[in-house]
Amino acid sequence: MKKDQTVLFALLVAMSSLHFGCEEGETPSARVELSPSEVFFEVPSAGELNRAVEVTITNGGDSNLIISSVTLEETDSNKEVVVRDAEEWTEAVTVESNESVRLTLLWTPTDFIIDRGSVTLETNVGEVGLSFTTSPLNDLPADGLCGDGELQEPEECDDGNNALETCAY
């Protein structure tokens, strides 16, 4: 009977160490991976008013990642960087294990100040931050209105001469 008790005890020990896919002491959790991990906005291309940068948010963990909110803060009072399609981020977004979603940031320069700030993701695994910086500008992007021959808001004049006309708006 002692031999049977030893075998039974060994079986109980072996079974108690089984963890259906998890390391001992580990519980499934989500893991946030951002690419890029920091955003730098290049100057908008000629004829463009803004520059967009996509941030890929990947769940590298083994359970769902839940993004409950996205907030953006800029260091100066003139807010030129926004979350594109911000309404899509007003409700919780679930990212399954090894899946990704994209968050697009949009910079529309309206002054010559370099913009700096951060985006904060509130998630079920804590806060995750991402910083951004914009390029220095020599000129503001042309809005397509200046020099088109039509007087439109916010223009004060438009004689149709886009080579000589200066638009400060």
Side-chain angles (χ1 to χ4, degrees):
M1 193 138 185
K2 187 156 174 107
K3 184 177 177 185
D4 288 340
Q5 287 176 337
T6 304
V7 171
L8 182 59
F9 179 73
L11 272 173
L12 287 172
V13 169
M15 289 181 69
S16 68
S17 66
L18 291 177
H19 287 280
F20 306 102
C22 293
E23 299 279 331
E24 187 173 334
E26 226 181 83
T27 56
S29 67
R31 188 176 74 242
V32 181
E33 299 170 1
L34 301 176
S35 180
S37 58
E38 206 171 295
V39 171
F40 181 75
F41 288 94
E42 296 290 339
V43 174
S45 301
E48 297 290 321
L49 297 177
N50 49 47
R51 173 69 74 170
V53 174
E54 267 191 2
V55 177
T56 302
I57 305 166
T58 301
N59 178 4
D62 50 13
S63 69
N64 285 348
L65 169 66
I66 301 169
I67 304 168
S68 54
S69 71
V70 175
T71 55
L72 186 142
E73 292 185 15
E74 198 172 317
T75 56
D76 66 32
S77 60
N78 188 17
K79 306 303 180 201
E80 299 171 274
V81 177
V82 297
V83 174
R84 180 184 275 168
D85 301 322
E87 65 280 355
E88 293 178 12
W89 296 94
T90 57
E91 294 185 21
V93 174
T94 300
V95 185
E96 294 183 10
S97 178
N98 299 310
E99 295 292 323
S100 300
V101 293
R102 287 182 176 70
L103 173 74
T104 304
L105 302 177
L106 186 67
W107 173 42
T108 306
T110 59
D111 61 30
F112 295 101
I113 298 171
I114 294 174
D115 297 291
R116 292 181 175 85
S118 63
V119 176
T120 303
L121 307 175
E122 283 289 336
T123 76
N124 58 328
V125 292
E127 258 185 25
V128 178
L130 170 76
S131 63
F132 64 83
T133 306
T134 62
S135 295
L137 296 172
N138 295 325
D139 294 307
L140 291 175
D143 62 8
L145 300 177
C146 183
D148 67 358
E150 296 180 33
L151 186 59
Q152 304 162 33
E153 286 293 325
E155 295 179 305
E156 294 173 13
C157 70
D158 196 326
D159 61 8
N161 185 344
N162 61 1
L164 300 176
E165 192 168 352
T166 302
C167 298
Y169 36 84

